[in-house]
C-alpha cells in the first residue's frame, strides 16, 4: 500500500463517506486540464469538475500565476478595518455581472457560509426595520450546505436526521414540476398571506445535491413574483449554478425577476481555493446603512476576503468572460443536447435532461430513485474503470465538465454511458 493510503487510513475522516465498507480512496498526485492523475499512473477524465468547483480545467496556468504572485505580495490581512485590491476589484467585477440590482458583496469561505450569511442578512434586515417577519420558505429536496442554518433550509433527510431537533422551522414547498404548479402556488400564497415571511430561498432551475433535478422556469418565476409582491426577500442560492454552468453566467438570468440576495461559491475561484460570496440589493443595504451598532451585521470569518482566493477568482473571472470560454460553454450545451436526443427513448433511461453544461440521465433500475440506490455502487466503479470520474447521485448520472473539455472527450463520456446502458438488462 502507498504511504498516502496508509496515512489516510490511519488519520483521515472523509466527507459523506461511511468509515467502514467503502473502497479505498484513490490517491491523486497531479491534475491538469480535464484530467486527474493517480499515484499508480491512472489518468482520469474529471466529468464532474471535482464536485462542481472546477471551471477552466485543473492547474490552469493563468490562475496558478495569479495565486503565486498574490501569495508573494500579500497573502492575507484582517478584513475588518483593512481592505485590498484583490477584494475590491473582484467585488466590482462580480457586481458587473450579477443579476440586476445586486450591488454589494459580503465575503465568506464556502457555499454553506454564503447561505448562512444570506439567511442572517435577511433575518436581520427585518429586525433592523423593526418588522416582525420570521418565517423562511424553502423547497423540498433543497440542498444549501452543511452548517446548521443551511441544513435547516435544506431537505430533511437521513443526512440531517441526527440534527433534526436542532434545526429551525421552515415552510417547505413541494419540488415544482409541470404537474403540481397549482399545489405549489396555493401553498405559497397561503403562507405569504400570513404576512410573516422573511425570505424565500431556492436553487434556481436545478436542485443539485438532491439529484440534479431540473424544474420549470415558469413556476419559479411565479414563486419569485408572488414572494416579492408580499415583500418576502428572495435568496438565490447559485453556489452550484453560478459562473456559466447553466449556459448563462447565472441561472437567475433565465428568470424575469432578479433575487434580492445571491449566494455564490464553488466555481468562483475556478476551483482552486475556497471562497464564498453573498451579494445583495441596495434595498437590503439601506436597512444596515446606519452607525447604530445595534444594527450592524456581526458576521465574519478569519479568512474573509483572503487575497489569494480573490486573486484566483479574478483570474478565473477573466477566463470565464472571455469569448473563448463563452463559446465553449455553448458548445458543451449543444453537444449535451444532441446526445440527449439520441438516448431519450432508451429503455433503461427514465429521463434525460440538460441545462447548459449540465447533463442528467436518470437510469431505470426498476426500484425508483434514491440516493442509496443499489445501482450507485455499480455506476461509480464502472466509469472509473473506464478512466472517467462520474459520481452518480443515486440512480442519476450527471455530467458537469470543466469548460476546457474537448468534443472528443465529451464523445468518450457519451459512448461510455451508452456502453454502460447496454450492460443493463
Ligand atoms: C455545494 C452547495 C452548497 C454548499 O457549499 P459548500 O462549499 O460545500 O459548503 C450550497 N448550496 C448549493 C446549491 C450547493 O450546491
Amino acid at each position: 500500500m502507498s504511504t498516502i493510503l496508509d496515512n489516510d487510513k490511519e488519520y483521515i475522516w472523509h466527507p459523506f463517506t461511511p468509515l467502514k465498507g467503502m473502497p479505498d480512496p484513490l490517491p491523486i498526485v497531479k491534475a491538469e486540464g480535464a484530467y486527474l492523475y493517480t499515484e499508480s499512473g491512472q489518468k482520469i477524465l474529471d466529468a464532474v469538475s471535482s464536485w462542481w468547483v472546477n471551471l477552466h480545467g485543473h492547474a490552469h496556468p493563468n490562475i496558478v500565476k495569479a495565486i503565486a504572485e498574490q501569495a508573494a505580495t500579500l497573502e492575507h490581512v484582517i478584513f475588518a478595518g483593512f481592505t485590498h485590491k484583490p477584494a475590491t476589484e473582484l467585488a466590482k467585477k462580480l457586481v458587473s455581472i450579477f443579476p440586476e440590482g445586486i450591488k454589494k458583496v459580503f465575503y465568506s469561505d464556502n457555499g454553506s457560509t454564503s447561505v448562512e450569511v444570506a439567511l442572517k442578512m435577511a433575518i436581520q434586515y427585518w429586525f433592523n426595520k423593526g418588522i416582525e417577519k420570521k418565517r423562511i420558505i424553502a423547497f423540498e429536496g433543497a440542498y444549501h450546505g452543511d452548517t446548521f442554518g443551511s441544513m435547516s433550509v435544506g431537505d430533511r433527510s437521513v443526512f440531517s436526521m441526527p440534527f433534526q431537533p436542532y434545526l429551525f422551522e421552515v415552510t417547505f414547498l413541494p419540488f415544482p414540476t409541470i404537474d403540481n404548479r397549482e399545489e405549489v402556488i396555493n401553498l405559497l400564497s397561503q403562507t405569504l398571506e400570513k404576512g410573516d415571511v422573511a425570505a424565500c430561498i431556492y436553487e434556481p432551475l436545478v436542485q443539485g445535491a438532491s439529484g440534479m433535478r431540473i424544474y420549470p422556469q415558469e413556476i419559479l418565476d411565479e414563486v419569485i413574483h408572488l414572494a416579492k409582491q408580499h415583500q418576502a426577500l428572495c435568496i438565490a442560492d447559485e453556489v452550484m449554478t453560478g459562473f456559466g454552468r447553466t449556459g448563462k453566467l447565472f441561472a437567475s438570468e433565465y428568470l424575469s425577476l432578479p433575487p434580492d440576495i445571491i449566494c455564490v461559491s464553488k466555481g468562483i475561484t475556478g476551483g482552486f481555493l475556497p471562497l464564498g460570496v453573498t451579494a445583495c440589493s441596495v434595498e437590503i443595504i439601506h436597512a444596515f446603512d446606519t452607525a447604530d451598532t445595534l444594527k450592524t451585521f456581526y458576521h465574519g470569518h478569519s479568512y474573509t476576503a483572503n487575497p489569494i482566493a480573490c486573486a484566483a477568482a479574478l483570474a478565473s473571472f477573466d477566463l470565464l468572460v472571455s469569448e473563448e470560454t463563452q463559446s465553449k460553454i455553448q458548445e458543451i450545451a449543444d453537444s449535451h443536447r444532441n446526445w440527449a436526443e439520441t438516448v431519450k427513448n432508451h429503455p433503461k433511461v427514465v429521463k434525460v435532461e440538460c441545462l447548459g453544461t449540465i447533463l442528467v440521465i436518470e437510469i431505470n433500475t426498476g426500484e425508483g430513485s434514491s440516493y442509496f440506490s443499489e445501482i450507485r455502487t455499480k455506476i461509480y466503479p464502472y466509469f472509473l474503470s473506464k478512466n472517467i470520474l462520474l459520481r452518480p447521485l443515486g440512480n442519476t448520472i450527471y455530467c458537469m465538465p470543466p469548460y476546457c473539455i474537448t468534443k472528443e472527450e465529451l464523445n468518450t463520456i457519451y459512448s461510455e454511458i451508452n456502453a454502460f446502458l447496454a450492460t443493463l438488462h
Side-chain angles (χ1 to χ4, degrees):
M1 214 193 304
S2 78
T3 322
I4 301 177
L5 215 58
D6 269 341
N7 287 336
D8 183 283
K9 290 209 150 164
E10 179 93 22
Y11 301 111
I12 304 279
W13 194 339
H14 286 270
F16 289 101
T17 310
L19 285 181
K20 236 193 168 126
M22 296 302 283
D24 287 342
L26 284 177
I28 297 295
V29 290
K30 184 180 121 158
E32 194 179 7
Y35 292 95
L36 305 168
Y37 296 81
T38 70
E39 192 181 28
S40 60
Q42 195 187 356
K43 180 181 170 189
I44 300 169
L45 184 55
D46 186 356
V48 297
S49 298
S50 280
W51 249 351
W52 327 339
V53 299
N54 194 286
L55 292 191
H56 312 293
H58 292 274
H60 192 289
N62 295 22
I63 305 179
V64 171
K65 184 161 170 276
I67 288 176
E69 285 175 3
Q70 189 57 50
T73 313
L74 169 66
E75 87 300 345
H76 189 63
V77 61
I78 170 178
F79 205 59
F82 291 86
T83 190
H84 50 77
K85 194 167 167 193
T88 52
E89 287 285 299
L90 179 61
K92 184 174 175 189
K93 286 195 172 179
L94 288 174
V95 166
S96 78
I97 60 165
F98 274 153
E100 170 123 34
I102 298 290
K103 297 291 181 210
K104 238 178 175 44
V105 161
F106 191 98
Y107 287 108
S108 67
D109 299 346
N110 55 63
S112 303
T113 57
S114 77
V115 170
E116 292 291 333
V117 168
L119 293 169
K120 286 175 73 173
M121 233 178 224
I123 291 166
Q124 194 178 341
Y125 168 84
W126 294 112
F127 174 90
N128 283 5
K129 286 171 83 86
I131 298 174
E132 186 78 6
K133 281 187 186 243
K134 297 212 163 78
R135 189 184 299 272
I136 309 282
I137 294 179
F139 283 95
E140 284 168 10
Y143 178 77
H144 295 292
D146 287 335
T147 50
F148 274 89
S150 59
M151 267 198 295
S152 295
V153 290
D155 199 50
R156 306 299 163 92
S157 67
V158 281
F159 296 98
S160 58
M161 204 165 7
F163 316 108
Q164 200 88 324
Y166 303 88
L167 303 181
F168 62 73
E169 197 192 314
V170 166
T171 301
F172 285 99
L173 302 177
F175 175 75
T177 64
I178 33 174
D179 302 320
N180 70 357
R181 179 200 156 266
E182 229 176 272
E183 188 194 347
V184 174
I185 298 300
N186 284 347
L187 180 57
L188 174 68
S189 302
Q190 283 162 21
T191 313
L192 286 166
E193 266 149 35
K194 295 182 208 282
D196 64 350
V197 177
C200 174
I201 184 166
Y202 49 90
E203 292 160 90
L205 302 188
V206 51
Q207 285 189 339
S210 67
M212 289 298 157
R213 302 197 294 170
I214 297 169
Y215 61 94
Q217 171 237 316
E218 296 76 16
I219 303 186
L220 185 55
D221 251 337
E222 234 178 307
V223 167
I224 297 172
H225 194 82
L226 271 173
K228 292 211 171 203
Q229 254 178 7
H230 290 81
Q231 280 82 48
L233 298 174
C234 292
I235 304 172
D237 177 353
E238 296 233 24
V239 169
M240 180 193 79
T241 51
F243 304 106
R245 287 291 180 207
T246 67
K248 296 194 188 267
L249 282 175
F250 298 98
S252 290
E253 291 172 30
Y254 287 100
L255 301 161
S256 50
L257 289 174
D260 301 290
I261 302 178
I262 185 170
C263 307
V264 293
S265 181
K266 291 205 166 95
I268 191 169
T269 61
F272 275 67
L273 289 163
L275 180 67
V277 158
T278 310
C280 70
S281 67
V282 174
E283 171 64 23
I284 307 238
I285 290 305
H286 281 160
F288 292 86
D289 205 2
T290 160
D292 184 348
T293 51
L294 289 176
K295 294 187 173 178
T296 305
F297 190 55
Y298 292 109
H299 186 107
H301 299 279
S302 315
Y303 283 96
T304 292
N306 173 254
I308 306 174
C310 291
L314 280 166
S316 177
F317 182 98
D318 290 344
L319 288 169
L320 176 70
V321 297
S322 73
E323 222 163 275
E324 193 186 339
T325 306
Q326 287 303 310
S327 66
K328 276 301 305 216
I329 289 173
Q330 297 317 318
E331 223 175 83
I332 296 167
D334 290 343
S335 172
H336 280 351
R337 226 176 292 120
N338 291 337
W339 180 75
E341 238 356 82
T342 68
V343 288
K344 69 174 186 202
N345 294 320
H346 193 287
K348 289 293 165 193
V349 171
V350 179
K351 175 166 83 176
V352 55
E353 291 179 308
C354 325
L355 183 62
T357 69
I358 308 171
L359 168 69
V360 191
I361 311 116
E362 192 186 327
I363 309 282
N364 183 355
T365 59
E367 55 168 54
S369 67
S370 153
Y371 181 85
F372 299 102
S373 166
E374 263 305 296
I375 196 147
R376 183 184 184 280
T377 53
K378 270 200 222 154
I379 297 173
Y380 184 67
Y382 178 91
F383 287 100
L384 267 188
S385 77
K386 308 292 180 192
N387 301 319
I388 299 172
L389 170 54
L390 281 173
R391 195 182 149 93
L393 291 156
N395 61 326
T396 297
I397 299 178
Y398 67 90
C399 171
M400 192 194 291
Y403 305 149
C404 67
I405 198 162
T406 64
K407 269 209 163 95
E408 293 68 39
E409 287 159 348
L410 280 173
N411 286 333
T412 306
I413 297 170
Y414 303 147
S415 33
E416 291 299 350
I417 297 176
N418 282 329
F420 176 75
L421 290 173
T423 69
L424 303 170
H425 29 242

